[in-house]
Amino acid sequence: MSATAPSVSTVSRASGLFGAAASTDHKRIGLNMGLASLLFFLGAGVMALLMRTQLAQPHVRFVSDQTYNELFTMHGSTMIFLFVTPMAMALATYLVPLQIGASSISAPRLALSAFWIWLSGGIIMQLGWLTEEGAGRSGWFAYVPLSNSANTPGVGQDLWTVGVILAAGGLTIIGGCVLATIARRRAPGMSMMRMPVFTWTGLVSVLMVVGSFPVVILAMSLLYAERLGARVFIGYSGAIDYQDLFWFFGHPVVYVMFFPFLGAAAEAIAVNAHKRWFGYAAFVASMLAFAALSMSVWSHHMFTTGGVTNQYFATTSTALAVPAGIEYFDMVATLIGGAILLRTSMLFALGFFLQFLIGGLSGIFVASPVLDYHAEDSYIVVGHFHYTLFAGSVFGFFAGVYHWFPKVTGARLREGLGKLHFVLLLVGTNMTFLPMFFLGNDGMPRRIAEYPNHPGWGTLNLLETVGAGVIALGVLAFLVNVVVSLRNREVAGEDPWLGHTLEWATSSPPPRHNFERPLPPITSYAPLLDLRERAQRDASAVRVPAGRGGRGPWPQEGAP
Amino acid sequence: MRGGAIPVLAWACLLAVLMTGNAVWTGDAIQIGEYGFAVLTIVLVAAALVRADRTAIRRGAPEAPSRPRVEASPDLSFAAVLAAIALASILFGLTWAYFLVYFGAGLLIMSLGRLALELQAARASRERFERGSPPERPERERLP
């Protein structure tokens, strides 16, 4: 039984575009948000390709300096506000109610409104491209005084600011809906310590969203007032205050973009290794600690400003390695002894963990203020965050896509094309982002529209540009895979992978209220695996009668 | 729902400890203010969950309710979509064209009115269901 049965539909269904646009079904809202995010991702990818073309060789003038500034600002803003964060929220919106056995999301109208507020913000942000002065161009963090109206005049930057307010507002509201769903709509038997791993990662993410996103709304509102002529951020201390407000959102959002994809990769690994996720309780505790610490490290982005207490932030930043280590330990321990199937989702999950390791380890270096003074504003930082967000989160996202695509559509993605997609993305990602560490160490600054003919820089930059092209081919392979798989469907059935969690106990795609049959008994965080193990035990108990070394056909006392 | 507030409170406690460290070490008013806001928000979320259901602070799994809880669940809500577009229109209007602010304000009032009708219809449906009456025609047909 789902947690909220029975429910009464109060408005008749509408099909077509109107039905899809105004549906309060959490699955439709999640899907709409995911599809819109994917479109923004493609746009951000085109911007990245344009930038890489400009940087392919020294002194290339493919776009003007101002256009280059607009490109890196809008690429970063689109990836963070309009692709990775909303995709994480879309996954949570779609999957969390299914995983906890709920028939719907809490406050579905509010969730629907949140989607449209976020989408409007995204569109308004991109409308800057159509203005005479161009789109926002003061970086995705819009530091004051660079982003004030004297230094960045024009409507494009205003539209960017308003777009961020709306996008962050929408994401905060939808985060609140997911949080309320987890807290209030779990099925009977689903205690907090029986929630699936993905749901836990979703929970800590939305806690961070609710705690930190309102601060960026405040920061952007103050920036907007500043652009209208109010004197809000005055002098050096004003600039530091703005950065404090921005990064109080800006660092937690990195983890909001990481945790749900960690959950997706963890689910894919456990299912493809045919094992329970190892060390569940330690994982949950480490997630809570990880999230709390990641709310406490924001000023490591400001080490070199001289305006913050570096010791505190260096300590908390370095401490992040402990919960991260627990998660890696759990991942490795889950793989040990497992019957591993290298499906595409598993490959992406492994890619996520291995590449995020590079991002994480380079993070330990820049968590030290002494080393950060060397790395600040160089390509080392660009390499570091692309390894965490692209080589990490985006690989985790694709692990989730290959894992849950059959649940969402009822059709499997093609494994051959999936593996081609994986190989292209893996090669392209490392070709593009690994040379950044060498370039940065050699002194190449970030955010420059052209660079001098320094020995070695041209070759490494060319390698990066070719790598970006290979990434684009990988994304193309994915799109072809989606089209081919939807046109010539391989019917997936309810549970094609022998999943562990409740979303696999309903039809694919799930019905309007998620579950039309009673739910299986929820005895752990992997109820379907419990069911299969119990059936296996029962079968073997029947084969070996009690009294001859067997345990008997009845349920054992204390058995899960 | 049983146990729902426990991890929220636990996380608020962790944040409070780290915030205290920040306050002692840095003493920066902006940092303490924004961190304090985050801690307070999470504590308020936990308090709201406990206020809605006292078992939210007790350990254990949620039990099956003795009587199924009936919930009116809308399939569509144009009011929610319109309210979002109205809000976006107001902010966009501030930046681009002022008439959009008035348009957005009008749209917001309309959408809130429509939302009130939707909620009224939902309540009526739930009451009818609880009385055991057959479901009435869908709300869409009754709304102007």
Side-chain angles (χ1 to χ4, degrees), chain B residues 42-128:
Chain B
I42 302 300
V43 170
L44 287 177
V45 167
L49 291 172
V50 175
R51 192 181 148 80
D53 180 358
R54 286 193 167 276
T55 62
I57 200 67
R58 295 195 195 122
R59 291 176 63 184
E63 290 157 7
S66 52
R67 224 174 120 228
R69 187 158 51 96
V70 178
E71 192 173 278
S73 154
D75 279 328
L76 299 170
S77 177
F78 290 105
V81 178
L82 290 181
I85 292 172
L87 190 66
S89 175
I90 291 170
L91 282 179
F92 184 47
L94 284 174
T95 311
W96 184 254
Y98 211 71
F99 75 92
L100 284 174
V101 177
Y102 299 112
F103 171 75
L107 197 59
L108 189 61
I109 292 167
M110 264 179 59
S111 61
L112 291 178
R114 163 93 195 181
L115 187 64
L117 288 174
E118 279 186 22
L119 292 172
Q120 199 181 22
R123 195 170 55 237
S125 289
R126 194 174 55 239
E127 284 168 4
R128 267 198 309 281

Side-chain angles (χ1 to χ4, degrees), chain A residues 386-537:
Chain A
H386 277 96
Y387 261 99
T388 57
L389 291 182
F390 194 91
S393 297
V394 173
F395 273 66
F397 158 67
F398 281 122
V401 168
Y402 281 92
H403 188 61
W404 282 301
F405 191 86
K407 180 51 58 187
V408 175
T409 64
R412 289 178 195 230
L413 284 168
R414 297 288 190 275
E415 279 291 305
L417 276 169
K419 283 172 179 157
L420 175 69
H421 169 206
F422 171 74
V423 169
L424 286 171
L425 211 61
L426 186 80
V427 171
T429 298
N430 288 289
M431 273 175 77
T432 308
F433 303 122
L434 197 62
M436 289 182 177
F437 291 114
F438 303 107
L439 282 167
N441 193 44
D442 205 19
M444 180 164 167
R446 64 192 289 202
R447 301 189 205 103
I448 49 168
E450 65 173 309
Y451 53 91
N453 201 359
H454 190 279
W457 285 16
T459 312
L460 286 174
N461 272 293
L462 185 62
L463 192 66
E464 287 180 15
T465 302
V466 174
V470 178
I471 290 175
L473 286 177
V475 174
L476 187 67
F478 167 68
L479 295 176
V480 170
N481 197 354
V482 170
V483 172
V484 168
S485 302
L486 288 177
R487 293 190 89 173
N488 304 306
R489 287 170 167 257
E490 281 178 10
V491 178
E494 214 166 76
D495 184 9
W497 320 125
L498 300 177
H500 296 179
T501 42
L502 289 181
E503 75 270 27
W504 303 105
T506 186
S507 60
S508 304
R512 169 66 179 92
H513 292 292
N514 293 347
F515 300 96
E516 286 176 343
R517 307 191 299 267
L519 292 175
I522 299 164
T523 46
S524 79
Y525 58 93
L528 299 195
L529 186 62
D530 293 343
L531 214 59
R532 280 194 293 274
E533 286 178 351
R534 189 177 294 244
Q536 271 176 355
R537 273 201 306 273

